[in-house]
Amino acid sequence: MTKTKERLEAFKELLDRKGLKYTYERECIYDEVQRIDQHFDADSLYDRFKKRGARIARATVYRNLPLLLESGVIQKSAGEGKRDFYEKTTSKGHHDHMVCLGCKRIIEFHSDELEALQDKLSHQYKFKLIFHDHRLFGYCEKCRA
Amino acid sequence: MTKTKERLEAFKELLDRKGLKYTYERECIYDEVQRIDQHFDADSLYDRFKKRGARIARATVYRNLPLLLESGVIQKSAGEGKRDFYEKTTSKGHHDHMVCLGCKRIIEFHSDELEALQDKLSHQYKFKLIFHDHRLFGYCEKCRA
DNA sequence: TTGAATGCAAAACCTTTGCAAGCTC
DNA sequence: GAGCTTGCAAAGGTTTTGCATTCAA
């Protein structure tokens, strides 16, 4: 079974577990999210439906994102302001962020060692890790002067 | 020099660097933050002034928190909803969070290994680390069933 | 058939902003 | 005195909610 299908299953299982229904709108939202390779917020997702003429209300998008989050289909991404940002969960390509308090620049980084350590800690706490949000705040090379 | 005074110096230096002034209100806000041992948001900080009869406007609080953040006096804390949460920066007692997607419970954890790894990564990227925000999302022991 | 989901628009919430008056330096 | 700050209240942007209607199981 492909990863994508596994995630859809996880979503359906969550709905089942909660006594919720797999509606047409939820299917649309799930599908659309899979097509987005960047991070996105609720409104930009809604816009994609609007531009295409799909009849999905903004409230429906807002109401369903938490379910996608809870099922691990999407994860929180580095927010750039007030809005919540998300990105679809993929096993590869994950990165974390260093945020410069001076120039606000965002440096992406990846560390296998870090990922491994998180797995180890999760295991210690009997926690089933789905995704994480890790940001380092400080000053970049230019701004630390 | 005590840690607390060092942080006040960092705050004053930031103001200087930006051509800003060390006003009575900024002093009040700095002091009040030092008295809070838990995490807090802008509004609860404002309430503390209001209850005590101090004349500091909500807008002033909102306008100054970013400066305390930038100077490293406070840091972002695990937000529990939409609001931004902060906590004062202390060298000891820092912890990160595992957030259960099922019951929303928050498990605090601490790992020296993790802290060390972050320092190492920061060094690699010539990044001066001030604080970080690290949350693991998944399912706790009870909810993973 | 029954409880859940949707759409719409209004409401709620948190945060930011404009402006006149007041302070630092 | 010049320019940054503040207080106030109004505005702004994002997310949530109430309710009647529609839909999944």
Side-chain angles (χ1 to χ4, degrees), chain A residues 3-137:
Chain A
K3 278 283 175 191
T4 301
K5 281 187 182 160
E6 269 180 38
R7 285 191 286 274
L8 179 55
E9 284 314 308
F11 183 38
K12 288 182 175 174
E13 271 166 32
L14 178 83
L15 294 176
D16 247 27
R17 205 185 324 144
K18 296 198 156 197
L20 306 180
K21 295 161 183 171
Y22 186 59
T23 62
Y24 168 74
E25 289 81 1
R26 299 219 236 249
E27 184 181 355
C28 283
I29 293 173
Y30 176 88
D31 286 346
E32 195 61 38
V33 160
Q34 295 306 317
R35 295 196 195 97
I36 306 180
D37 285 318
Q38 310 163 352
H39 68 177
F40 60 90
D41 58 33
D43 236 59
S44 65
L45 180 55
Y46 167 67
D47 280 343
R48 291 172 68 107
F49 290 122
K50 202 170 60 175
K51 278 176 190 153
R52 171 215 290 181
R55 72 275 73 178
I56 292 191
R58 180 190 259 98
T60 301
V61 173
Y62 274 101
R63 280 192 273 239
N64 283 297
L65 285 175
L67 293 172
L68 289 175
L69 200 59
E70 190 173 342
S71 62
V73 170
I74 59 174
Q75 60 183 70
K76 292 212 170 141
S77 179
E80 321 197 330
K82 300 295 114 190
R83 275 170 291 192
D84 285 333
F85 276 84
Y86 307 91
E87 64 188 53
K88 74 176 174 216
T89 304
T90 53
S91 42
K92 62 184 174 186
H94 178 75
H95 55 251
D96 294 305
H97 304 92
M98 293 182 187
V99 184
C100 179
L101 293 168
C103 63
K104 312 300 179 197
R105 192 161 68 96
I106 292 180
I107 303 166
E108 298 184 346
F109 71 93
H110 173 85
S111 164
D112 287 325
E113 203 176 338
L114 182 58
E115 305 285 322
L117 181 51
Q118 290 178 102
D119 288 342
K120 184 176 129 188
L121 287 164
S122 298
H123 185 73
Q124 272 176 24
Y125 285 83
K126 302 192 193 310
F127 188 78
K128 183 179 180 189
L129 179 62
I130 303 288
F131 62 89
H132 67 266
D133 180 12
H134 194 184
R135 279 171 292 171
L136 307 184
F137 295 86

Side-chain angles (χ1 to χ4, degrees), chain B residues 25-72:
Chain B
E25 289 81 1
R26 299 220 236 247
E27 184 181 354
C28 284
I29 293 173
Y30 176 89
D31 286 346
E32 194 62 37
V33 160
Q34 295 305 318
R35 296 195 194 97
I36 306 180
D37 286 319
Q38 310 163 351
H39 69 176
F40 60 90
D41 59 34
D43 237 59
S44 65
L45 180 54
Y46 167 68
D47 280 343
R48 290 172 68 107
F49 290 123
K50 202 171 58 175
K51 277 176 189 153
R52 171 216 288 181
R55 72 276 72 180
I56 291 191
R58 188 197 305 283
T60 301
V61 172
Y62 273 100
R63 281 193 272 239
N64 284 297
L65 285 175
L67 294 172
L68 288 175
L69 199 59
E70 189 173 344
S71 63

